[in-house]
Amino acid sequence: MMRKFVSDRTGRNIILVRSFHHLKQLLQSPLSASQSRFLSSTVLDSTSASSNPSAAPPVNLDTINPKVLKCEYAVRGEIVTLAQTLQQELQSKPGSHPFDEILYCNIGNPQSLGQEPITFFREVLSLCDHPAILDRSETQGLFSADAVERAWQILDQIPGRATGAYSHSQGIKGLRDTIAAGIEARDDFPADPNDIFLTDGASPAVHMMMQLLIRSEKDGILCPIPQYPLYSASIALHGGTLVPYYLNEATGWGLEVSELEKQLDNAKSKGVIVRALVVINPGNPTGQVLAEENQRDIVEFCKKEGLVLLADEVYQENVYVPEKTFHSFKKISRSMGYGEEDLSLVSFQSVSKGYYGECGKRGGYMEVTGFNADVREQIYKMASVNLCSNISGQILASLVMSPPKVGDESYELFSAEKEGILASLARRAKALEDAFSNLEGVSCNKAEGAMYLFPRIYLPQKAIKAAEAVDTAPDAFYCRRLLNATGIVVVPGSGFGQVPGTWHFRCTILPQEDKIPAIVSRLTDFHQGFMDEFRD
Amino acid sequence: MMRKFVSDRTGRNIILVRSFHHLKQLLQSPLSASQSRFLSSTVLDSTSASSNPSAAPPVNLDTINPKVLKCEYAVRGEIVTLAQTLQQELQSKPGSHPFDEILYCNIGNPQSLGQEPITFFREVLSLCDHPAILDRSETQGLFSADAVERAWQILDQIPGRATGAYSHSQGIKGLRDTIAAGIEARDDFPADPNDIFLTDGASPAVHMMMQLLIRSEKDGILCPIPQYPLYSASIALHGGTLVPYYLNEATGWGLEVSELEKQLDNAKSKGVIVRALVVINPGNPTGQVLAEENQRDIVEFCKKEGLVLLADEVYQENVYVPEKTFHSFKKISRSMGYGEEDLSLVSFQSVSKGYYGECGKRGGYMEVTGFNADVREQIYKMASVNLCSNISGQILASLVMSPPKVGDESYELFSAEKEGILASLARRAKALEDAFSNLEGVSCNKAEGAMYLFPRIYLPQKAIKAAEAVDTAPDAFYCRRLLNATGIVVVPGSGFGQVPGTWHFRCTILPQEDKIPAIVSRLTDFHQGFMDEFRD
């Protein structure tokens, strides 16, 4: 069985036909023969002018890039637009809805829900933004001594101490040294600063790899289903094919190599060339943490099949259960004795997640290993076209990979902030997991890691019929009802993909702890009412 | 005559053939018929498995996206790689070259060459990064009162004062209000905050528009030649065709509508559908500032031909001659009575240029006008896939569009810093322009604006032959010689495009003022020696 996922819109067939018509024209076009080098551009004779007076068409949905139309991103989709409308209504007409505020549980955006930033990180960023105050006496009273020292260290790593200059396309070398050292400390295997590409968050890094690997719709990328929709969106934008593999909900969203093999074979039989495998660990939206043994099997599979392993490891600090530990895929593959020659592996990390949750800073990196020098040069070129990622984000990426250590002035505060946030996240995850599990017709995964729960709702037939009657997916129908009744914003499972006929939603574990009881109670009341209305 | 520019590499034909073979396969593929909606993904039967056991090919130059190979970016190309090597050699073996330092005149990166940031801007950024200090008494001594006040204002515009949260996909609404007000003050015509999309610099904004407009190689974008290679790179990456129009060097790099018309007709006659016109004003690499009358003609041309006008206005603050003034294309079109219905216009602005030169902050915006709501929604979706641009960059974009005003505590210092930088840039531009003009066989444009000079070198035949003998473009040959002899890094004209048979290089006007005499003297000595060696 092969499930072909292409997120779609009305009019898709028309667009495809038009697009293929273009391709056909292209094959017959004289232009393809006339390519010439930029350096010595040839001058074509064009005495046949205006035989084909094709004017520029107006810009509308029929004339824009159909790949853009295909792309979907539910995390900021219709449900969020509705939430924003409700929020405006609440502001202009207080009391116009049966709730006082919108609770955004749609997106992993901790600081938008009141999580405080880590003090040490912000001290360093603040000092690097305005180095003129580093030598001032008042600064001693305002900032911790190790933040001042770290700011000096970082400034000394930046040519001319110029935090306002474009950096090396891969990011400031000294910061990459720090990050590589942090990876070594984490994995106990060597890391090379030349393998690090600093980026404006993980999303542009993922785009860069998709752009590199995808040549046409014949190139496939194996992605988990459910998946974080960045992947489906990015594959659609770059014109490739998403080859789905299903996580097994029955085993806590287990990733089974037999499923990978089956889907790979299916894709091959359709003529799709699978280039890469995406693994999200800890899982988004599914919250599972992979077992070491499982990771070894995945590495073996990628090596055997010659697939690039794209390891989304942005939740590496978000593990909430004592029986699970995060292991990077680089550590796993190195511990199996595999090196540069054996596996093309890209690990994505971000400053937006973890206990830091600095989404607005747009910092992150990818560690690129197992590619030959020629291809590395192409990745470097792609990074160069956008010049560099933002320097504050670069600095922050170095900080999260090298936080204060025992004995540093900031250590105690840092440690208390970090442990406080992670312990609270664990408690919130458990409270919401229990609440979901107690609802009629709902089963919920264990929140081992990441920032999400992805409960399954067994919707009554009557609800499914009601949704169909308004041309809405049943889970979207449920989520909209929930929002309208409670102000709670969650994302329908259909935005992430799910086994056909099953229905879920993704809910973050991020609302402030003192709001959790109210959320649970509002959600429980709503659900009870919904079931009362639609129970078969 | 039509000049077809596709920056290329060895092996291009092979790649094209392979790519077209893929397209052909695609046309015959059963996949195209099997597209299904993400929501209700169909399950394909695949009993015919492994009839076509296409394994994943290894990742090498033959198997990556050929569009990536095609893309070139000379500003960080070979010459810069050579410069970095020389710099390392200088560090490890002082005295190993006939110069002490590398002078990077290849890129508009002012702070890397010692330009200091504007104090007020950095104060505000620093305070927004660490709001905890805003209430502290020491802060009064370290920061100006209006910076503190502005930081409070900005924080109040951010939901929950969370500078570490993802913002609205277009950027924080309050900051967009400020930017729109700044545009109104600049243009004296209304601006709508909902038209503003904040981005990580202008480059991602340009990519977004290219991605939106380009469907296939049949879609063309009119670009000036010479051009800033972001445009050729972005068009190549998105698979479109660069339709060149030549700036007229004889009239100070004038932009002539007759040339636009000619190139548009030529493109049409080849079956290319031209979607948009790129104008860079003030010019990069050519430094000219367009006359108002000329801008009106361009607007009229775009309106008549139904072209999207992509206006690169990132150098709007960089005008150095009293007889020229910057006018935004939006102001020009509105002053002609044209509104939303008449012209699709995108204006790009960046915090990297101007007197601020904050390249490392990656801030900028595009103002999108004259698109229908459907298309706007698609642009919004594209912005959403990357969540948002970095918040520091967003804040800085609001600051450059709303700097301190007369009466503010910071005004005097701000004004002195701003005028100091701009006056110095004007002096440097003039000094370098004069120096270039005095060289044998060199003519140089007037530096009216932007940050560059683009002198033409009339190379002796003997030099051209010597370059050909080492398989190098003559201007690249000259630039490499210059670098090896003096440590001065400039970019060959071939990286920007130029009339075939003419040779140029781009040199920034950014080296510190006290270094200009030494640069002029080294450059003059080198050039004399070069001409002595190769004079016919």
Side-chain angles (χ1 to χ4, degrees):
Chain A
M1 289 196 311
M2 153 108 190
R3 295 176 182 88
K4 182 79 175 49
F5 276 83
V6 182
S7 52
D8 206 345
R9 295 181 52 93
T10 329
R12 163 78 187 150
N13 287 339
I14 296 164
I15 290 157
L16 256 178
V17 170
R18 183 175 297 112
S19 161
F20 279 88
H21 179 63
H22 276 139
L23 294 181
K24 221 166 192 169
Q25 280 189 314
L26 202 54
L27 287 169
Q28 296 156 354
S29 160
L31 276 174
S32 55
S34 68
Q35 313 298 347
S36 65
R37 298 195 63 196
F38 197 83
L39 271 169
S40 56
S41 50
T42 56
V43 180
L44 299 182
D45 184 54
S46 65
T47 44
S48 64
S50 356
S51 61
N52 176 6
S54 46
V59 181
N60 58 44
L61 293 194
D62 290 334
T63 64
I64 65 168
N65 180 358
K67 292 172 189 160
V68 171
L69 278 180
K70 260 169 63 174
C71 154
E72 286 193 359
Y73 192 68
V75 171
R76 291 211 166 171
E78 278 171 39
I79 195 93
V80 183
T81 308
L82 172 60
Q84 287 166 346
T85 308
L86 295 183
Q87 187 163 26
Q88 282 165 6
E89 289 172 5
L90 278 178
Q91 273 167 10
S92 57
K93 274 194 205 170
S96 56
H97 291 281
F99 42 84
D100 299 331
E101 61 172 338
I102 302 292
L103 280 160
Y104 287 97
C105 303
N106 59 301
I107 190 164
N109 193 7
Q111 295 190 29
S112 74
L113 297 177
Q115 182 176 310
E116 290 293 327
I118 298 291
T119 303
F120 176 80
F121 295 168
R122 290 304 191 95
E123 286 183 328
V124 176
L125 288 182
S126 180
L127 291 166
C128 289
D129 263 343
H130 193 36
I133 63 172
L134 271 167
D135 280 333
R136 300 277 296 274
S137 59
E138 296 96 326
T139 302
Q140 308 304 320
L142 279 179
F143 295 85
S144 63
D146 54 340
V148 172
E149 193 188 338
R150 184 71 76 97
W152 276 121
Q153 276 172 20
I154 288 170
L155 289 167
D156 285 341
Q157 290 168 334
I158 302 177
R161 292 184 180 160
T163 53
Y166 294 130
S167 71
H168 184 282
S169 305
Q170 289 183 232
I172 292 159
K173 173 64 165 57
L175 300 179
R176 287 186 280 128
D177 290 340
T178 304
I179 290 169
I183 294 172
E184 285 189 7
R186 182 194 69 196
D187 291 347
D188 223 3
F189 285 97
D192 184 342
N194 296 318
D195 293 343
I196 308 294
F197 287 74
L198 283 153
T199 54
D200 291 312
S203 303
V206 169
H207 281 299
M208 217 187 288
M209 291 310 301
M210 294 300 176
Q211 189 154 45
L212 181 80
L213 292 172
I214 295 173
R215 295 161 293 185
S216 75
E217 208 169 357
K218 299 290 277 185
D219 280 334
I221 309 290
L222 268 163
C223 282
I225 298 297
Q227 52 105 30
Y228 174 49
L230 165 66
Y231 294 97
S232 52
S234 180
I235 293 167
L237 280 174
H238 294 103
T241 292
L242 191 159
V243 178
Y245 65 90
Y246 282 78
L247 301 173
N248 187 348
E249 184 163 11
T251 60
W253 299 108
L255 196 170
E256 288 157 15
V257 171
S258 60
E259 168 74 4
L260 294 177
E261 284 165 349
K262 189 177 78 176
Q263 297 296 356
L264 178 66
D265 285 345
N266 284 341
K268 284 183 186 174
S269 76
K270 302 289 172 203
V272 171
I273 300 166
V274 178
R275 308 295 313 269
L277 168 71
V278 173
V279 178
I280 310 173
N281 179 45
N284 176 3
T286 41
Q288 83 283 29
V289 177
L290 294 180
E292 210 174 327
E293 178 60 30
N294 199 189
Q295 289 186 270
R296 277 198 289 269
D297 293 343
I298 293 163
V299 166
E300 208 62 81
F301 173 77
C302 288
K303 177 169 158 49
K304 190 182 80 181
E305 302 292 348
L307 301 179
V308 177
L309 177 52
L310 300 174
D312 181 336
E313 300 181 325
V314 303
Y315 297 100
Q316 55 189 261
E317 300 273 7
N318 300 97
V319 179
Y320 308 119
V321 290
E323 66 272 23
K324 287 291 181 80
T325 311
F326 169 78
H327 301 288
S328 77
F329 271 102
K330 175 139 164 283
K331 175 182 177 178
I332 297 292
S333 72
R334 295 292 177 268
S335 70
M336 293 166 75
Y338 293 148
E340 277 287 317
E341 303 299 311
D342 299 296
L343 182 71
S344 300
L345 168 65
V346 183
S347 165
F348 302 98
Q349 165 65 323
S350 166
V351 304
S352 304
K353 309 304 172 185
Y355 56 90
Y356 17 94
E358 291 278 16
C359 303
K361 296 296 175 186
R362 312 309 292 123
Y365 69 80
M366 55 179 181
E367 185 188 13
V368 176
T369 53
F371 289 83
N372 70 35
D374 278 355
V375 174
R376 282 281 291 269
E377 201 180 294
Q378 297 297 316
I379 301 173
Y380 175 81
K381 185 176 69 181
M382 295 169 82
S384 295
V385 173
N386 277 331
L387 298 159
C388 68
S389 60
N390 84 85
I391 305 295
S392 294
Q394 292 190 25
I395 292 170
L396 190 49
S398 82
L399 295 175
V400 307
M401 296 308 284
S402 175
K405 288 175 187 51
V406 181
D408 294 347
E409 180 182 315
S410 291
Y411 181 74
E412 208 169 322
L413 175 62
F414 163 75
S415 190
E417 289 174 340
K418 171 181 169 177
E419 299 312 327
I421 289 166
L422 288 174
S424 169
L425 285 174
R427 286 193 299 271
R428 286 178 264 172
K430 189 72 179 73
L432 286 170
E433 179 195 320
D434 289 347
F436 288 133
S437 299
N438 283 333
L439 298 179
E440 175 189 354
V442 172
S443 68
C444 187
N445 60 309
K446 198 163 172 12
E448 296 179 339
M451 296 180 169
Y452 314 101
L453 291 161
F454 197 65
R456 177 169 177 183
I457 0 170
Y458 295 80
L459 291 169
Q461 278 304 314
K462 209 169 144 190
I464 294 173
K465 289 246 156 36
E468 281 166 0
V470 292
D471 201 22
T472 302
D475 49 5
F477 178 79
Y478 180 90
C479 294
R480 196 173 304 177
R481 284 282 200 119
L482 173 65
L483 170 58
N484 279 316
T486 66
I488 300 170
V489 193
V490 298
V491 185
S494 39
F496 305 88
Q498 53 200 347
V499 170
T502 71
W503 308 108
H504 303 77
F505 60 86
R506 188 184 82 165
C507 179
T508 71
I509 59 171
L510 298 175
Q512 281 178 296
E513 209 162 351
D514 58 4
K515 292 193 174 167
I516 298 283
I519 289 175
V520 167
S521 126
R522 279 151 76 179
L523 200 122
T524 305
D525 288 350
F526 161 78
H527 187 79
Q528 193 62 48
F530 184 91
M531 293 302 277
D532 288 347
E533 182 175 351
F534 292 107
R535 199 179 288 109
D536 295 315
Chain B
M1 290 197 310
M2 153 110 188
R3 296 173 182 90
K4 182 78 176 50
F5 277 81
V6 182
S7 51
D8 206 345
R9 293 182 54 93
T10 329
R12 165 79 185 148
N13 287 340
I14 296 165
I15 290 157
L16 258 179
V17 170
R18 183 173 297 113
S19 160
F20 278 88
H21 179 64
H22 277 141
L23 295 182
K24 221 166 193 170
Q25 280 190 313
L26 203 53
L27 287 169
Q28 296 155 355
S29 157
L31 277 173
S32 55
S34 69
Q35 313 297 349
S36 66
R37 297 197 63 196
F38 197 83
L39 271 170
S40 57
S41 53
T42 56
V43 180
L44 299 183
D45 184 54
S46 64
T47 44
S48 63
S50 4
S51 61
N52 175 7
S54 46
V59 181
N60 58 45
L61 293 194
D62 290 334
T63 63
I64 66 169
N65 180 357
K67 292 172 189 161
V68 171
L69 278 180
K70 260 168 64 171
C71 154
E72 287 192 359
Y73 192 68
V75 172
R76 291 213 166 168
E78 279 171 38
I79 195 92
V80 183
T81 308
L82 172 60
Q84 286 165 348
T85 307
L86 296 181
Q87 187 163 25
Q88 282 165 6
E89 288 171 6
L90 278 178
Q91 272 167 10
S92 56
K93 275 195 207 170
S96 56
H97 292 281
F99 44 83
D100 298 332
E101 60 172 340
I102 302 292
L103 281 159
Y104 288 97
C105 304
N106 58 301
I107 190 165
N109 193 7
Q111 295 191 29
S112 74
L113 298 176
Q115 182 176 309
E116 291 292 327
I118 298 291
T119 302
F120 176 79
F121 295 168
R122 290 306 191 95
E123 285 184 327
V124 177
L125 289 182
S126 179
L127 291 166
C128 289
D129 263 344
H130 193 38
I133 63 172
L134 272 166
D135 279 333
R136 299 276 297 272
S137 60
E138 296 95 327
T139 302
Q140 309 304 321
L142 279 179
F143 295 85
S144 63
D146 53 339
V148 173
E149 193 187 341
R150 184 71 75 97
W152 277 122
Q153 276 173 21
I154 289 170
L155 289 167
D156 285 341
Q157 289 167 336
I158 302 177
R161 294 185 178 159
T163 54
Y166 295 128
S167 72
H168 185 283
S169 305
Q170 288 183 233
I172 292 159
K173 173 65 165 55
L175 300 179
R176 286 186 280 128
D177 290 341
T178 305
I179 290 169
I183 294 172
E184 284 188 10
R186 181 194 68 194
D187 292 348
D188 223 3
F189 285 97
D192 184 341
N194 295 318
D195 292 344
I196 308 293
F197 287 75
L198 283 152
T199 54
D200 291 312
S203 302
V206 169
H207 280 299
M208 217 187 288
M209 291 311 299
M210 295 299 176
Q211 188 154 46
L212 181 81
L213 293 172
I214 295 173
R215 295 161 295 184
S216 75
E217 208 169 357
K218 300 289 277 184
D219 279 335
I221 309 289
L222 269 163
C223 282
I225 298 297
Q227 51 107 30
Y228 173 49
L230 166 66
Y231 293 97
S232 50
S234 180
I235 293 167
L237 279 175
H238 294 104
T241 292
L242 191 158
V243 179
Y245 65 89
Y246 283 78
L247 301 174
N248 187 349
E249 184 163 10
T251 60
W253 299 109
L255 194 170
E256 290 157 14
V257 172
S258 59
E259 167 74 3
L260 294 178
E261 284 166 348
K262 189 178 78 176
Q263 297 296 355
L264 178 66
D265 284 346
N266 285 341
K268 283 184 186 173
S269 76
K270 303 288 172 204
V272 170
I273 301 165
V274 178
R275 309 296 312 270
L277 169 69
V278 173
V279 179
I280 310 174
N281 179 47
N284 176 3
T286 41
Q288 83 285 30
V289 178
L290 294 180
E292 208 174 328
E293 178 61 29
N294 198 190
Q295 288 185 273
R296 277 198 289 270
D297 292 343
I298 293 163
V299 167
E300 209 62 82
F301 173 77
C302 288
K303 178 170 157 48
K304 190 182 79 182
E305 302 292 348
L307 301 179
V308 177
L309 178 51
L310 300 174
D312 181 335
E313 301 181 325
V314 302
Y315 297 100
Q316 56 189 264
E317 299 274 7
N318 299 97
V319 179
Y320 308 119
V321 291
E323 66 271 23
K324 288 290 180 80
T325 311
F326 168 79
H327 301 288
S328 77
F329 272 101
K330 175 141 166 282
K331 175 181 177 178
I332 297 292
S333 72
R334 294 293 176 269
S335 70
M336 293 166 76
Y338 293 148
E340 277 287 317
E341 302 299 311
D342 300 296
L343 182 71
S344 301
L345 168 63
V346 184
S347 165
F348 302 97
Q349 164 67 321
S350 167
V351 304
S352 304
K353 309 303 172 187
Y355 56 88
Y356 18 93
E358 292 277 18
C359 303
K361 296 297 175 189
R362 312 309 291 122
Y365 69 80
M366 55 179 183
E367 186 188 12
V368 176
T369 53
F371 289 83
N372 69 35
D374 278 354
V375 174
R376 282 281 290 270
E377 202 181 293
Q378 297 297 316
I379 300 173
Y380 175 80
K381 185 177 67 180
M382 294 170 81
S384 295
V385 174
N386 278 331
L387 298 159
C388 68
S389 60
N390 83 85
I391 305 296
S392 294
Q394 292 190 25
I395 292 171
L396 190 49
S398 82
L399 295 175
V400 307
M401 298 306 286
S402 176
K405 288 174 186 55
V406 181
D408 293 347
E409 179 183 315
S410 291
Y411 181 73
E412 208 169 320
L413 175 62
F414 164 76
S415 190
E417 289 174 340
K418 171 182 171 176
E419 299 312 328
I421 289 166
L422 289 173
S424 169
L425 284 173
R427 287 192 300 271
R428 286 178 265 172
K430 189 76 180 72
L432 286 170
E433 179 195 321
D434 289 348
F436 287 134
S437 299
N438 283 334
L439 297 179
E440 175 188 355
V442 172
S443 68
C444 188
N445 59 309
K446 196 162 170 37
E448 296 178 339
M451 296 180 170
Y452 314 100
L453 291 161
F454 198 64
R456 176 170 178 182
I457 0 170
Y458 295 80
L459 289 170
Q461 277 305 314
K462 210 169 143 192
I464 294 173
K465 290 244 159 31
E468 281 166 359
V470 292
D471 201 22
T472 302
D475 49 3
F477 178 79
Y478 179 92
C479 294
R480 197 174 302 176
R481 284 282 201 119
L482 174 66
L483 171 58
N484 279 318
T486 64
I488 299 170
V489 193
V490 299
V491 185
S494 39
F496 306 89
Q498 53 200 349
V499 170
T502 69
W503 307 107
H504 303 76
F505 59 88
R506 187 185 82 165
C507 179
T508 71
I509 59 171
L510 299 175
Q512 280 178 294
E513 209 162 352
D514 58 6
K515 292 193 176 171
I516 299 281
I519 289 175
V520 167
S521 127
R522 279 151 76 177
L523 199 123
T524 306
D525 289 351
F526 161 77
H527 186 80
Q528 194 60 49
F530 184 92
M531 294 303 278
D532 288 347
E533 182 175 350
F534 292 106
R535 200 178 288 107
D536 296 314

